[in-house]
Amino acid sequence: MQLFNVRYLFLLFVCGSHLDIHNVKADWPSLDSSSVQLLGLFSDAANATNPSTLTIQARAMFKAAVLLSQQYNIRIDGELINWRTSLTGGIGIDALSSTCHILSDSNIVGIVGPALSRETTIVADFAAKIGIPVVSYAATAPELSSRKVYPTLYRTIPSDYSAALAIVKLFIRFNWNKSDIVYQNDAFGTGGAKVIEEAFLANGLSIENTIVYDIGSGDFKGDLKNTLSNSSSRIILLWATSSVTEIILQKALFHDILGPRFTWILSTSISFASFNQSSYSKLIGMLTIEPVVATMVGVSVNRTLLNAAYDLWKTYEPETYPASSEINYYALFAFDAAWLLIQSLGKFCSANSNNLSSCVSLTNPSVCFDRRFLNSRSFLDTINNMSFLGVSGLLKFDSGATDRINGSYYYAQNVDTYAGGINFVPVLGYSDANGWERYAGASPIIWPDGTLTIPSGIAKLNGVHLRIGVIVSAPFTILTTVTDELGRPKQTVTGYMPDLIALLQDRMGFIPDIQIAPTNFSYTTLIQAVATGLYDIVVGDVTVTSSRREIVDFSNAIYDNSLRIVMARNSETNVDFLSFLKPFSSNLWLMALAAMIVAGVLFAILERSDNEILQQRSTISLLTMSVWYSFGNIVGYGADFEARTGSGRLITAGLYLLSVVLVVSYTANLASDLTLSRSRSIISGLDDVKSGKIPFNRIGIRVGSASEDFYLREVSNGRRNYYALKNKPETYACLLNGSIDLTFMDVGVAEYITNNVYCSLTLAGEEFNKGVMSIVTPKQWIYKQELDINILALREAGQLDRLKSKWVDAKDCPAPSEISTAMEVESMVGLFLVFAVICLLSVLLSIWKKRMTIWNYISRNRKGPIIQLKI
């Protein structure tokens, strides 16, 4: 790009309305005798007292092109080319009328113009009928690109297809993802808005709102202020001509929807002469995206041709000639439009010089609608194959579209202060090859807030009052009563959610009005309160569900949630008289008993003759002593006599082996069973609940909560057969007094309550129904994107994890390892009963063995004869 003082660039063009050019009397030489003519159409009205800079400069360059062709002696059928011009007033039917009138008495072989898209559609249709080419220098409507619809139309200015792509790349450069569009309702505005929206959609961007300005009535179709103020985007694309752009900006200024809150991107530069100087601060930071010539992005142009044209302009119309750097680019496009026709005519007629007939013959020359260019098809083919370096860059076309190939260049201008006022300053340049690049020598972009920081493009909460609903639910929102400086009681909230609100306030700058929801509010009521506008948002332990998303919207996740089963600790010990026998199965007990008896019998047989303890005993006594020996060795304590034979000792070794394995196994299994009996809950998890292990009317569910939604969906199949609870205090009370056996709770609340408040409550099973908690917002809330960005930033910075550690992970209840594990009597009552029975049997056995002695003792103490019994 060229290095020059960009702050002086196009100053005269911007302020062109100040020039006294309506009385210009140019003296361009004309060849009245030439029958080969080009028609130039320009958009000012014929009776305009103050012609626009666009018309003045485009017309001058058009004439310069024709005059240069004369100087270069370019002849068509032996004649030099001449011009005709007409002012159309920007009205399509007037443009057609002027064209038809001139064609009726002139040999027009090509048309340069019109300037406006709404004129070009009509003139191009007419030109296609008679077969002469039309080359527009300023009409950019995308619908004009179709060669099939407009077979004789060409454009030296890039179409809005190219502009839309450039805008998309600008948005990507600045990380903007949405915009609103304001456009005028003609071919230029409607077509531009349509192609921009299509380009946005194709590139993952979005148009939030479209607002139409009716150029007929001079007003908007819709409410400009409310639409833009309630949009989530703060980037506004304005697609209108310069005169309409000024009107729209004046209205936007009146409604205070310009800077610093909004960033406007215009499709054209304007004059600021009609704006009050006090409003300049609201106009600073705007951008324009306008088509330019190749030199503005460092690409070569035909300097020889350009300088020659400028010399002619200065010679024949010096009063309108500005500095070369201040010439309207549309004037250069107008020159190339004329030069394209001139070069094509020269090449076409040279190729057909051997023909006897004229290369530019027309039929019915006196009736404009009946005129026909006889060699139209061949002439158009010549234009399609033309390629030359013009004053705007390389000009080349093909037969598939009306647009030039690879000649799309744009620059972005920034409104900034200048010499006590404001002016447009180039800041970025664009080409098809390189995209957007910083303009050579340009200053940094000044944005609407007066800083160098690129705006986010989304609605901001800074300074906005927010009514924030919160619901009391420890540890997320804890309501406490404190005493203020005057000694009066005052309620305040602490917890995870109030701390989160403070963090978001620090980052976003909103003004919070925290409102505590009434105690009779359910979570469903909270959702409705946001949908109906009672609260702007709700910050609480609200779980995201599909049914709730139908009513409201949700932010990014603020807490990873799931459900847990909460129930009272199992404090009862079931009395099981045979619990000490459970370590072994009944079969194993029988096997051990059989082994003891068999070993006792074998020991009696093998030891009877050699062991004096077993000699001289009855069979019953012998077997009893032998089984006693076997029992004593199995349990590891031995007997009061020893084996005397080798075979007896071998049996004793076998009994020792049994003793080691059975005693150790029994001890381990008994300890395990006793431990499990102490820690065993009524249920092990959600599957036990679904299977009905707990009566459904003993399951407490809070009405209007996500737990209720889950229960109805996954457990009861829509049946409300649970114990209905109104709030959390009632839930805790019912768990503690035994009205319910369990309930479902959010994991954060469940862990906090069981670890800090109600130590007699515990969790059962694993987490289920995993989801997230989020901030509740209205549908299509304009500040949602900013809220999501800041919540994500807090998560990435670890702030949400720190809040969880502070409020949810705290533990005041004693850990399970600190709770006494001492066994109670109930766990061993069966063993003691067996011991009591054994003691009783031993007493009865002793009595039985001494029954005669006892009987005689009783008898001696009676009066009467003593009867001696013999057994």
Side-chain angles (χ1 to χ4, degrees), residues 493-759:
V493 290
T494 58
Y496 186 103
M497 297 303 170
D499 281 3
L500 176 60
I501 292 172
L503 289 173
L504 291 173
Q505 181 188 4
D506 289 341
R507 296 180 63 91
M508 302 165 68
F510 58 81
I511 303 171
D513 175 16
I514 298 178
Q515 301 178 13
I516 303 172
T519 55
N520 62 343
F521 266 36
S522 67
Y523 287 90
T524 299
T525 311
L526 277 179
I527 298 296
Q528 293 291 343
V530 173
T532 57
L534 180 61
Y535 303 131
D536 293 319
I537 59 174
V538 165
V539 182
D541 55 329
V542 182
T543 304
V544 180
T545 65
S546 58
S547 59
R548 290 172 177 175
R549 276 200 180 275
E550 295 177 357
I551 305 171
V552 295
D553 208 345
F554 290 91
S555 69
N556 281 344
I558 58 175
Y559 190 86
D560 296 326
N561 191 40
S562 61
L563 292 179
R564 292 296 302 269
I565 296 174
V566 180
M567 57 193 305
R569 292 187 183 275
N570 184 17
S571 58
E572 297 182 358
T573 303
N574 296 325
V575 177
D576 187 352
F577 293 107
L578 300 178
S579 62
F580 68 95
L581 296 178
K582 288 185 177 180
F584 288 167
S585 67
S586 57
N587 290 335
L588 182 56
W589 278 117
L590 291 174
M591 181 66 71
L593 178 63
M596 181 183 68
I597 294 173
V598 169
V601 171
L602 287 175
F603 188 83
I605 295 172
L606 297 174
E607 286 282 325
R608 180 175 184 178
S609 58
D610 296 315
N611 197 319
E612 62 274 11
I613 298 299
L614 301 178
Q615 293 174 357
Q616 298 179 356
R617 288 183 177 273
S618 64
T619 302
I620 294 176
S621 177
L622 174 63
L623 292 176
T624 300
M625 291 297 292
S626 297
V627 171
W628 165 249
Y629 179 86
S630 177
F631 173 78
N633 283 283
I634 285 179
V635 299
Y637 292 98
D640 51 356
F641 60 94
E642 298 177 354
R644 300 297 184 184
T645 65
S647 56
R649 293 188 184 95
L650 189 59
I651 290 176
T652 302
L655 292 174
Y656 283 165
L657 180 61
L658 285 177
S659 172
V660 170
V661 176
L662 291 178
V663 171
V664 170
S665 300
Y666 177 85
T667 303
N669 286 349
L670 179 61
S672 176
D673 286 346
L674 292 175
T675 301
L676 289 175
S677 67
R678 288 182 53 78
S679 60
R680 187 177 295 118
S681 299
I682 302 174
I683 61 169
S684 60
L686 182 62
D687 289 340
D688 287 345
V689 175
K690 291 181 177 180
S691 65
K693 191 171 182 179
I694 299 294
F696 294 119
N697 61 1
R698 298 279 300 170
I699 300 173
I701 299 296
R702 186 173 177 182
V703 177
S705 65
S707 301
E708 182 186 36
D709 294 340
F710 175 82
Y711 181 89
L712 294 174
R713 184 179 68 250
E714 300 293 338
V715 178
S716 68
N717 293 322
R719 295 188 301 274
R720 301 180 182 274
N721 53 4
Y722 50 79
Y723 189 104
L725 301 168
K726 297 179 180 178
N727 49 51
K728 283 188 172 67
E730 181 185 8
T731 302
Y732 305 139
C734 289
L735 281 171
L736 295 172
N737 63 27
S739 298
I740 59 175
D741 291 329
L742 61 86
T743 188
F744 297 161
M745 282 189 183
D746 293 327
V747 62
V749 176
E751 291 178 353
Y752 176 82
I753 289 298
T754 56
N755 289 332
N756 297 275
V757 183
Y758 299 107
C759 301

Side-chain angles (χ1 to χ4, degrees), residues 286-353:
M286 291 192 305
L287 297 176
T288 68
I289 296 180
E290 301 177 77
V292 294
V293 296
T295 53
M296 299 304 295
V297 293
V299 180
S300 298
V301 298
N302 193 327
R303 282 287 180 183
T304 302
L305 201 60
L306 182 61
N307 291 333
Y310 285 168
D311 290 341
L312 289 173
W313 185 356
K314 287 185 285 186
T315 300
Y316 296 108
E317 200 173 310
E319 60 272 31
T320 65
Y321 181 79
S324 60
S325 61
E326 296 164 356
I327 292 176
N328 189 331
Y329 294 127
Y330 293 100
L332 305 186
F333 292 130
F335 179 95
D336 275 349
W339 200 248
L340 172 67
L341 292 174
I342 293 168
Q343 290 291 304
S344 300
L345 281 169
K347 184 177 181 180
F348 171 67
C349 290
S350 296
N352 294 276
S353 59

Side-chain angles (χ1 to χ4, degrees), residues 231-451:
S231 172
S232 61
S233 172
R234 288 297 181 261
I235 308 296
I236 302 170
L237 287 168
L238 175 52
W239 215 249
T241 58
S242 58
S243 59
V244 175
T245 296
E246 287 189 38
I247 296 172
I248 292 175
L249 289 180
Q250 289 283 11
K251 292 179 179 292
L253 187 63
F254 175 78
H255 292 302
D256 193 23
I257 46 178
L258 292 173
R261 292 187 300 143
F262 295 87
T263 301
W264 286 69
I265 302 176
L266 316 181
S267 60
T268 181
S269 302
I270 61 169
S271 168
F272 295 114
S274 63
F275 292 87
N276 192 293
Q277 191 168 359
S278 62
S279 65
Y280 285 177
S281 62
K282 295 184 179 297
L283 299 172
I284 290 174
M286 291 192 305
L287 297 176
T288 68
I289 296 180
E290 301 177 77
V292 294
V293 296
T295 53
M296 299 304 295
V297 293
V299 180
S300 298
V301 298
N302 193 327
R303 282 287 180 183
T304 302
L305 201 60
L306 182 61
N307 291 333
Y310 285 168
D311 290 341
L312 289 173
W313 185 356
K314 287 185 285 186
T315 300
Y316 296 108
E317 200 173 310
E319 60 272 31
T320 65
Y321 181 79
S324 60
S325 61
E326 296 164 356
I327 292 176
N328 189 331
Y329 294 127
Y330 293 100
L332 305 186
F333 292 130
F335 179 95
D336 275 349
W339 200 248
L340 172 67
L341 292 174
I342 293 168
Q343 290 291 304
S344 300
L345 281 169
K347 184 177 181 180
F348 171 67
C349 290
S350 296
N352 294 276
S353 59
N354 295 327
N355 293 339
L356 297 177
S357 60
S358 171
C359 65
V360 289
S361 299
L362 290 98
T363 63
N364 299 316
S366 61
V367 182
C368 80
F369 281 98
D370 293 335
R371 291 169 68 93
R372 295 293 184 274
F373 187 21
L374 296 179
N375 296 318
S376 175
R377 183 68 268 161
S378 299
F379 184 30
L380 295 176
D381 288 341
T382 301
I383 299 176
N384 291 336
N385 294 316
M386 286 297 297
S387 177
F388 67 91
L389 188 62
V391 300
S392 65
L394 180 66
L395 233 69
K396 188 176 182 180
F397 294 89
D398 64 24
S399 59
T402 67
D403 304 324
R404 63 193 294 175
I405 301 172
N406 299 326
S408 300
Y409 309 106
Y410 295 88
Y411 73 172
Q413 295 193 93
N414 180 216
V415 179
D416 196 3
T417 56
Y418 172 75
I422 56 176
N423 193 16
F424 288 100
V425 178
V427 288
L428 296 172
Y430 174 87
S431 65
D432 292 330
N434 300 320
W436 288 103
E437 295 180 314
R438 187 171 177 232
Y439 198 84
S443 300
I445 297 176
I446 302 298
W447 296 103
D449 60 358
T451 70

Side-chain angles (χ1 to χ4, degrees), residues 38-224:
L38 298 180
L39 172 62
L41 299 177
F42 306 97
S43 59
D44 280 355
N47 58 353
T49 59
N50 191 17
S52 67
T53 302
L54 171 61
T55 293
I56 295 292
Q57 296 188 3
R59 184 170 55 189
M61 290 297 284
F62 164 71
K63 292 179 179 181
V66 176
L67 197 55
L68 269 179
S69 72
Q70 297 172 8
Q71 292 184 356
Y72 292 167
N73 198 30
I74 298 175
R75 294 180 178 271
I76 308 301
D77 288 342
E79 296 186 73
L80 297 174
I81 302 171
N82 198 16
W83 70 76
R84 294 287 300 273
T85 63
S86 177
L87 298 176
T88 65
I91 301 172
I93 194 64
D94 289 348
L96 178 60
S97 176
S98 299
T99 302
C100 189
H101 177 75
I102 293 174
L103 259 66
S104 297
D105 59 11
S106 302
N107 191 37
I108 303 297
V109 295
I111 299 174
V112 173
L116 303 181
S117 296
R118 59 177 179 265
E119 302 173 296
T120 305
T121 56
I122 297 175
V123 173
D125 280 338
F126 167 71
K129 181 177 178 63
I130 64 176
I132 63 173
V134 175
V135 186
S136 177
Y137 56 89
T140 61
E143 66 183 74
L144 295 172
S145 294
S146 174
R147 173 65 66 206
K148 183 177 181 181
V149 178
Y150 302 103
T152 65
L153 177 64
Y154 298 86
R155 292 189 286 184
T156 56
I157 189 171
S159 80
D160 286 341
Y161 282 116
S162 299
L165 181 59
I167 291 171
V168 165
K169 292 183 178 180
L170 185 74
F171 271 60
I172 294 173
R173 178 185 179 95
F174 292 136
N175 291 320
W176 297 332
N177 58 18
K178 63 181 69 174
S179 177
D180 297 320
I181 295 184
V182 181
Y183 63 93
Q184 64 186 49
N185 61 338
D186 64 356
F188 166 66
T190 303
K194 180 176 181 293
V195 75
I196 289 172
E197 190 165 5
E198 291 172 351
F200 270 44
L201 182 63
N203 289 274
L205 309 177
S206 65
I207 298 298
E208 296 295 292
N209 299 283
T210 56
I211 304 171
V212 179
Y213 179 81
D214 186 354
I215 56 179
S217 65
D219 204 354
F220 296 97
K221 294 181 178 180
D223 191 323
L224 177 71

